[in-house]
Amino acid sequence: MNVSSLFGVLLGAGIFVAALMETSMGVAFFLDKHGIMIVIGGTAAAASISFPLKKLFSLMKVFINRVLGRNRVDYHGVIAQFVELNKKSAMGLQALKDSVPAIRHPFLREAVELVASGILSEREIRETLDRRVETTEKRYMTEANMFRTIGRFPPAFGLLATTLGMIAVLQQIGKPDSQKMIGPAMSIGLIGTLYGIALANFVFLPIAENLTERTREEIALRRLIVEGTVLLKAQTNPIALRENLNSFLMPSERAVRKAS
């Protein structure tokens, strides 16, 4: 479980509810079914028009696995694995093949399998892995952009709900005691805008930014793996391999050689 993301979700929901409770009307006042129907229903309809339903349903899985799930990028662990794999490769391809099942990162496992097969050259391995990295980046960024696109809909439908509320208010002008009705009616009409802004800025846009940042981290790790795999194929000296991979990290983040 990603504690940071879960904390952010709970904190955002808590602040929003607490702010509503602090108003003189209380939370119940803001439970306007018309505003909820227009904002949530309109957003769902617009999203369904924009994207296939299959992709929309998959976004829940993306949220659970990539936003709330534990996806820590372990650069040091990968570099350490490459150093160990480098030692295995010196014993022969069979020793490298035997190490594959113990590799947890799926992309690293695929990369080592290419080396262990002994079929592809260094250039072919790099081209193959680079293409896979590009495919993954496009897929991950598409998911982030879907959330970002959907995040544009709620404020618009919130404004639509408010507009309908204002039309209802204007209909009351000129009727007996209309001046007493305009204030309460306008406040109810603005609830739709509140829903739209909250839904976009507490839910969809933060998720999109979270996925974008996670994509950058994952792609950086995969590019490190590509370079490490080519060095593994070339049977580079372990120290040179580690220092080369350290070049992908900032000085304070780099893996250091453990004392014997």
Side-chain angles (χ1 to χ4, degrees), residues 220-260:
L221 177 65
R222 290 180 181 238
R223 295 200 183 284
L224 182 151
I225 290 174
V226 172
E227 187 65 28
T229 304
V230 174
L231 295 173
L232 183 64
K233 173 67 177 179
Q235 295 187 330
T236 305
N237 178 280
I239 296 176
L241 182 145
R242 185 183 63 245
E243 294 307 318
N244 194 303
L245 298 184
N246 270 333
S247 301
F248 285 81
L249 307 176
M250 297 297 291
S252 61
E253 301 171 342
R254 290 172 185 167
V256 296
R257 184 179 182 182
K258 295 183 179 178
S260 302

Side-chain angles (χ1 to χ4, degrees), residues 29-120:
F29 173 81
F30 294 93
L31 299 178
D32 177 53
K33 62 181 181 180
H34 300 292
I36 294 174
M37 287 172 56
I38 293 174
V39 174
I40 295 181
T43 299
S48 299
I49 295 171
S50 302
F51 306 107
L53 286 176
K54 183 178 180 180
K55 287 189 176 181
L56 289 177
F57 288 131
S58 69
L59 290 183
M60 180 57 68
K61 184 177 179 180
V62 170
F63 173 72
I64 294 173
N65 292 339
R66 295 190 57 209
V67 178
L68 296 183
R70 175 178 288 183
N71 288 313
R72 186 171 64 90
V73 177
D74 186 10
Y75 297 105
H76 289 185
V78 169
I79 293 175
Q81 275 191 301
F82 267 118
V83 173
E84 290 301 317
L85 290 168
N86 185 275
K87 297 176 182 177
K88 295 286 185 181
S89 68
M91 303 177 191
L93 292 179
Q94 187 56 48
L96 195 59
K97 289 180 182 178
D98 294 339
S99 304
V100 170
I103 300 175
R104 297 184 61 182
H105 195 287
F107 185 67
L108 177 56
R109 186 164 56 248
E110 290 178 11
V112 175
E113 285 174 346
L114 290 179
V115 176
S117 69
I119 299 174
L120 302 182

